């Protein structure tokens, strides 16, 4: 279970052996996009025993990079929901370090630790308590959020930048009224409203462009452009965290907005696969501006009787086979585990020809130190593999047998095709696939209630199993399928297929979904509609098969 704010505690880490207190690492978490975190920050999080989080929730970062048993300490708010002062946070960090004897306390700070984040107060408190510490700089919201909003901070006509904390009562606002100055304001919305009013009163012209960006660098980012004279009307609906940019460079956003204009920006996409199988799909969805929610639909278990697999592996070592064909990452994993059980390594494949059904499976083999001899040049499927697999040749092939470690529910297409080409096939159950347990109640509600903008299906079994464990996606959800067979299964389950990949690969599937999203955005723009995300346009009618 991933950590959450509801389970945060004060620093009560079980003391570790040793007299010395824990060491503290002040780590910049960046402005929101986890991809902007530094390599050093990720290394410290992986080693952390305790993580002290800041005002902005970072549970996703903790779940992604920390050990499951890491302790979370909330330094953002007190028991009654009031924000803690710098002094109170400093005491909390020192207390956590003293309790974590010999351990590592990561003080995860929003943006960059040294920029409006209280590093000075907290690090000095550690120094006075004789607690060692490290500082890992982070990407500051000051530069990152405007960049993600498509707003350069400087230009040839605006070469100066003033960065101001909105709640600073000693600011000389008259120093920032020149048109050549870009002003960046940070703080809660109520403080931003006051600060913008003071800048206007100090003499900055009322028609100066102002951009207000909420939840910057995340898929929830939203930017509104106004003027200094009219921005007070907008401020009433601005939510924390927010940042304001004032100056002529704001006008460049009309042509330079690159993040909020991505084809799937803000989309929440359901991926019914295991996390191990979804890495490339998730990365590609994120590149188009979407976020992915992985819901495993199958669980992989060992075969009920391992003897067949054991005999096949021993036969592989003794030269029984000419080829071994891997049709999934799970097959690679199953053989690798059996190798480790027998004390074997990749050298046992010497003299054996190796086939992989596609790029993902081939990559799993390469991670094991094995380069496949055959990967389909066309479709990544059994048919694609058969199209490139050479027929048995009595002269060239000293052995006529193929080892296929596969799932218990694998189809006969590959076996039949190889046999027609003269090969004898040992079709061995390397693992069993069973339907996964139903997802959490809130995920089931999100699926049926239309909170997902799209669902991507990579096989017929993912369709059947998702519907079986969680129910049918809401009619508003865009349904994307990897091929005709998967699309047919989706339609048989009452879903209308909106997107069909031009080729059977997860990359092509996501690319096709992005093209569909771009089409929706274009149509919405032509109609003068600002609502693009399918989840925001839910309908009550059930989607029917064509």
């Amino acid at each position: 279970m991933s950590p959450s704010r509801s389970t945060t505690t004060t620093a009560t880490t079980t003391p570790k052996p040793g007299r010395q207190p824990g060491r503290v690492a002040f780590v910049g978490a960046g402005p929101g996009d986890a991809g902007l975190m530094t390599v050093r920050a990720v290394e410290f999080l992986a080693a952390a025993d305790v993580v002290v989080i800041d005002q902005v929730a970072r549970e996703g970062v903790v779940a992604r990079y920390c050990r499951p048993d890491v302790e979370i300490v909330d330094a953002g708010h007190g028991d009654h929901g009031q924000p803690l002062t710098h002094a109170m946070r400093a005491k909390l960090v020192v207390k956590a370090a003293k309790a974590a004897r010999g351990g590592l306390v990561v003080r995860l700070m929003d943006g960059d630790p040294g920029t409006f984040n209280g590093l000075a107060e907290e690090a000095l408190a550690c120094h006075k308590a004789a607690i060692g510490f490290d500082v890992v700089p982070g990407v500051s919201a000051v530069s990152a959020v405007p960049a993600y909003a498509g707003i350069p901070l400087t230009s040839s006509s605006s070469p100066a930048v003033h960065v101001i904390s909105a709640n600073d009562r000693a600011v000389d606002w008259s120093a920032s009224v020149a048109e050549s100055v870009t002003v960046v304001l940070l703080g809660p919305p109520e403080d931003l409203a006051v600060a913008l009013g003071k800048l206007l009163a100090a003499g900055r012209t009322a028609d100066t462009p102002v951009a207000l960006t909420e939840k910057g660098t995340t898929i929830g980012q939203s930017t509104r452009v106004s003027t200094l004279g009219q921005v007070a009307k907008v401020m009433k609906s601005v939510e924390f965290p927010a940042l304001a940019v004032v100056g002529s460079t704001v006008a460049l956003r009309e042509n330079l907005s690159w993040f909020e204009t991505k084809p799937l920006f803000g989309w929440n996409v359901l991926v019914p696969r295991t996390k191990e199988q979804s890495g490339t799909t998730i990365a590609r969805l994120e590149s188009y501006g979407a976020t992915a929610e992985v819901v495993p639909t199958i669980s992989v278990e060992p075969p009920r009787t391992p003897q067949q697999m054991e005999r096949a592996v021993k036969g592989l070592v003794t030269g029984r086979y000419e080829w071994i064909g891997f049709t999934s990452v799970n097959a690679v994993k199953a053989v690798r585990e059996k190798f480790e059980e027998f004390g074997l390594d990749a050298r046992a494949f010497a003299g054996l020809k190796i086939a992989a059904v596609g790029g993902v499976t081939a990559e799993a083999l390469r991670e094991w130190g094995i380069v496949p001899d055959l990967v389909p040049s066309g479709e990544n499927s059994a048919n694609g593999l058969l199209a490139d697999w050479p027929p048995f040749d009595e002269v060239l092939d000293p052995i006529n047998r193929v080892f296929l470690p596969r799932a218990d529910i694998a189809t006969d297409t590959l076996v039949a095709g190889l046999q027609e080409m003269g090969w004898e096939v040992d079709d061995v159950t390397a693992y069993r696939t069973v339907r996964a347990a139903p997802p959490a109640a809130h995920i089931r509600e999100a699926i049926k209630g239309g909170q997902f903008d799209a669902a991507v299906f990579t096989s017929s079994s993912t369709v059947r199993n998702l519907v079986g464990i969680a129910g049918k996606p809401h009619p508003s959800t865009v349904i994307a399928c990897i091929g005709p067979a998967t699309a047919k299964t989706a339609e048989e389950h009452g879903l209308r297929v909106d997107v069909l990949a031009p080729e059977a690969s997860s990359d092509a599937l996501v690319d096709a979904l992005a093209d569909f999203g771009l089409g929706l955005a274009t149509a919405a723009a032509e109609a003068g509609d600002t609502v693009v995300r399918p989840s925001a346009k839910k309908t009550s009618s059930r989607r029917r098969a064509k």
Side-chain angles (χ1 to χ4, degrees):
M1 182 177 69
S2 61
S4 64
R5 250 182 214 274
S6 61
T7 60
T8 54
T9 64
T10 56
T12 56
T13 308
T14 301
K16 295 188 175 183
R19 299 178 180 178
Q20 295 296 322
R23 189 171 183 85
V24 175
F26 294 96
V27 174
D33 182 352
L36 295 179
M37 293 185 67
T38 65
V39 173
R40 189 65 171 148
V42 172
E43 290 173 350
F44 269 110
L45 285 169
D49 299 293
V50 181
V51 176
V52 183
I53 55 178
D54 217 334
Q55 297 179 73
V56 178
R58 298 291 184 188
E59 285 85 353
V61 171
V62 173
R64 183 172 183 176
Y65 296 117
C66 295
R67 300 193 312 269
D69 62 342
V70 72
E71 181 183 354
I72 303 175
V73 178
D74 186 351
H77 301 82
D79 295 336
H80 301 291
Q82 295 298 316
L84 300 182
T85 64
H86 288 317
M88 294 169 71
R89 292 193 188 107
K91 289 181 180 179
L92 199 57
V93 170
V94 169
K95 183 179 179 182
K98 288 181 176 179
R101 296 180 184 177
L104 175 63
V105 176
V106 168
R107 173 67 172 97
L108 195 61
M109 307 181 89
D110 303 331
D112 175 67
T115 309
F116 300 112
N117 269 326
L119 173 64
E121 292 83 358
E122 295 183 31
L124 279 173
C126 289
H127 173 72
K128 291 178 181 178
I131 295 170
F133 61 87
D134 298 274
V135 178
V136 181
V139 176
S140 175
V142 171
S143 58
V145 173
Y148 270 56
I151 303 170
L153 292 183
T154 63
S155 68
S156 57
S157 60
S158 184
V161 179
H162 291 181
V163 181
I164 301 172
S165 176
N167 62 3
D168 188 346
R169 307 304 181 209
V171 175
D172 179 8
W173 293 102
S174 64
S176 301
V177 298
E179 291 185 6
S180 60
V181 175
T182 300
V183 180
V184 180
L185 293 168
L186 300 94
E190 57 272 20
D191 290 340
L192 290 177
V194 173
L196 290 167
K198 289 182 177 180
L199 184 59
L200 178 65
R204 193 78 188 239
T205 57
D207 60 354
T208 304
V210 178
L212 294 164
T213 301
E214 304 170 63
K215 301 177 182 178
T217 77
T218 72
I219 63 160
Q221 177 175 307
S222 174
T223 302
R224 284 172 281 182
V225 175
S226 183
T227 62
L228 196 56
Q230 298 293 321
V231 73
K233 300 176 182 177
V234 180
M235 289 305 306
K236 296 177 182 178
S237 59
V238 175
E239 297 181 357
F240 180 85
L243 177 146
V245 180
V246 183
S248 61
T249 60
V250 170
L252 297 174
R253 168 179 160 78
E254 184 174 349
N255 294 318
L256 302 184
S257 178
W258 61 274
F259 184 55
E260 294 174 50
T261 55
K262 287 193 172 189
L264 299 177
F265 177 74
W267 283 42
N268 190 17
V269 180
L270 177 67
V271 181
R273 302 188 78 184
T274 63
K275 288 187 177 180
E276 293 78 12
Q277 296 174 313
S278 305
T280 56
T281 301
I282 294 171
R284 204 164 190 86
L285 284 168
E286 289 176 345
S287 74
Y288 285 117
T291 186
E293 180 76 46
V294 177
V295 175
T297 58
I298 63 168
S299 177
V300 176
E301 297 182 1
R304 288 192 174 91
T305 54
Q307 290 81 4
Q308 186 187 25
M309 184 68 169
E310 291 172 357
R311 284 195 301 270
V313 170
K314 290 177 181 177
L316 183 152
V317 176
T318 57
R320 176 179 171 83
Y321 302 106
E322 179 76 7
W323 281 90
I324 179 171
F326 291 98
T327 57
S328 70
V329 172
N330 287 326
V332 176
K333 182 180 178 182
V335 172
R336 189 168 183 174
E337 289 175 349
K338 190 59 68 174
F339 266 44
E340 291 171 354
E341 181 183 327
F342 288 162
L344 301 172
D345 57 31
R347 289 174 294 182
F349 287 102
L352 191 67
K353 295 175 184 176
I354 301 166
V357 75
V360 177
T361 303
E363 183 59 31
L365 286 168
R366 292 189 185 99
E367 289 176 359
W368 194 7
I370 301 167
V371 178
D373 301 281
L374 172 63
V375 179
S377 57
E379 180 181 320
N380 292 340
S381 65
N383 288 328
L385 205 54
L386 286 170
D388 291 341
W389 199 302
F392 172 67
D393 188 312
E394 293 183 357
V395 177
L396 299 177
D397 298 312
I399 306 169
N400 70 339
R401 193 172 293 274
V402 176
F403 172 26
L404 288 183
R406 303 198 299 165
D408 58 330
I409 59 171
T411 63
D412 295 330
T413 302
L414 184 56
V415 174
L418 289 173
Q419 289 173 338
E420 287 179 6
M421 289 191 285
W423 294 101
E424 292 187 20
V425 181
D426 284 356
D427 186 15
V428 178
T429 298
Y431 60 94
R432 292 183 300 119
T433 56
V434 298
R435 182 176 289 179
H442 72 279
I443 296 294
R444 298 198 302 272
E445 292 171 3
I447 292 171
K448 292 184 285 188
Q451 295 177 37
F452 287 103
D453 297 288
V456 292
F457 292 104
T458 54
S459 68
S460 293
S461 62
T462 58
V463 177
R464 290 190 293 266
N465 290 338
L466 180 75
V467 173
I469 65 176
K472 289 195 290 186
H474 189 275
S476 67
T477 305
V478 173
I479 303 299
C481 294
I482 201 167
T486 304
K488 181 180 179 181
T489 302
E491 291 172 344
E492 289 172 350
H493 283 76
L495 304 176
R496 187 185 70 212
V497 177
D498 303 289
V499 178
L500 186 65
E503 59 182 71
S505 73
S506 59
D507 284 354
L509 177 59
V510 176
D511 292 346
L513 179 61
D515 287 341
F516 183 84
L518 185 61
L520 290 182
T522 301
E526 292 174 351
D529 190 356
T530 59
V531 180
V532 178
R533 289 179 56 195
S535 62
K537 293 185 172 184
K538 292 191 291 249
T539 60
S540 58
S541 61
R542 295 299 298 177
R543 191 174 262 143
R544 300 180 184 277
K546 293 180 181 179

